[in-house]
Each structure stands twice: as C-alpha cells, then as structure tokens.
C-alpha cells in the first residue's frame, strides 16, 4: 500500500506539517524543502563547486524574507509540486522523498 498524505497544514511556526495515511506525522522546515528541491536547476546548483572564499553573497529581498510555501499541488498520486515564496515552483517532490525529509512528530 502506498502511504498518502491525509492532511497538509502550515504550523504556527511556519513549518509544513503532513499527516500521513499510516498515522505518521512529519514536520518540515520550509528551507529544508527548498534546499532539497529536486528540480534539474537546483540539483545542478548543489553539485556546483562552492563559491570562492571571499565572495559576499548578496541576498535579493525575496531571499532575505522568511521562506514560505505559497501552494502545494498534487502531481498524480505520487508527488507534490511545491511553490515557494521566492517564486520557485518547478520542484516535484515525490511522496517517497517527503517521507525521508523532515522529522517525525507526535500527532
Ligand atoms: Zn528547484
């Protein structure tokens, strides 16, 4: 049997909480999801060599603002497309990968 989300919500702390059909409840930091975005662009970025030591990264206003999820759309029965408040929305998170991220919390 494939485990499916039975409930999606954003907690008061701004974390994503997913209740699963097997009664497991997991919470996710939005930043963790964004950093693990499975789209090709983000995978490429993560595998790129680290920036030179003296670079000064300048955050755009979107990057500096707290990251939020603006929408989550089911993709078939196996994944969710997550839209982030920084405008990034090409990541398709499989249910399998979501079960491996975040942390289990008591319901
Ligand atoms: Zn991405």
């Amino acid at each position: 049997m494939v485990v499916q989300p039975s409930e999606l919500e954003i907690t008061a702390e701004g974390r994503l909480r997913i209740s699963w059909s097997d009664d497991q409840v997991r919470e996710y930091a939005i930043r963790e999801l964004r950093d693990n975005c499975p789209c090709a662009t983000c995978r490429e970025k993560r595998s790129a060599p680290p920036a030179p030591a003296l670079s000064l990264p300048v955050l755009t206003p979107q990057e500096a603002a707290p990251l939020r999820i603006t929408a989550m759309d089911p993709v078939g029965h196996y994944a969710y497309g997550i839209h982030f408040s920084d405008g990034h929305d090409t990541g398709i998170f499989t249910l399998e990968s979501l079960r491996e991220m975040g942390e289990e919390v008591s319901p």
Side-chain angles (χ1 to χ4, degrees):
M1 188 193 92
V2 181
V3 184
Q4 295 281 340
S6 51
E7 201 182 336
L8 301 170
E9 59 179 322
I10 301 293
T11 69
E13 296 82 39
R15 291 156 66 87
L16 171 66
R17 180 195 290 244
I18 301 181
S19 306
W20 298 86
S21 54
D22 64 351
D23 290 335
Q24 193 182 122
V25 179
R26 302 186 77 80
E27 279 192 13
Y28 305 81
I30 309 305
R31 177 57 63 185
E32 179 194 358
L33 294 169
R34 182 68 176 82
D35 285 347
N36 286 290
C37 175
C39 83
T41 309
C42 294
R43 279 207 312 265
E44 217 164 86
K45 258 190 206 167
R46 284 199 294 274
S47 63
L54 283 179
S55 73
L56 173 65
V58 176
L59 296 178
T60 65
Q62 287 92 334
E63 286 172 332
L67 194 64
R68 290 178 296 108
I69 287 179
T70 55
M72 256 178 100
D73 300 320
V75 178
H77 290 290
Y78 70 95
Y80 274 90
I82 299 184
H83 301 235
F84 294 97
S85 57
D86 62 359
H88 194 68
D89 62 4
T90 47
I92 304 293
F93 292 74
T94 63
L95 298 181
E96 209 172 28
S97 71
L98 287 170
R99 289 281 290 198
E100 284 163 8
M101 288 184 231
E103 53 183 357
E104 193 172 354
V105 297
S106 46

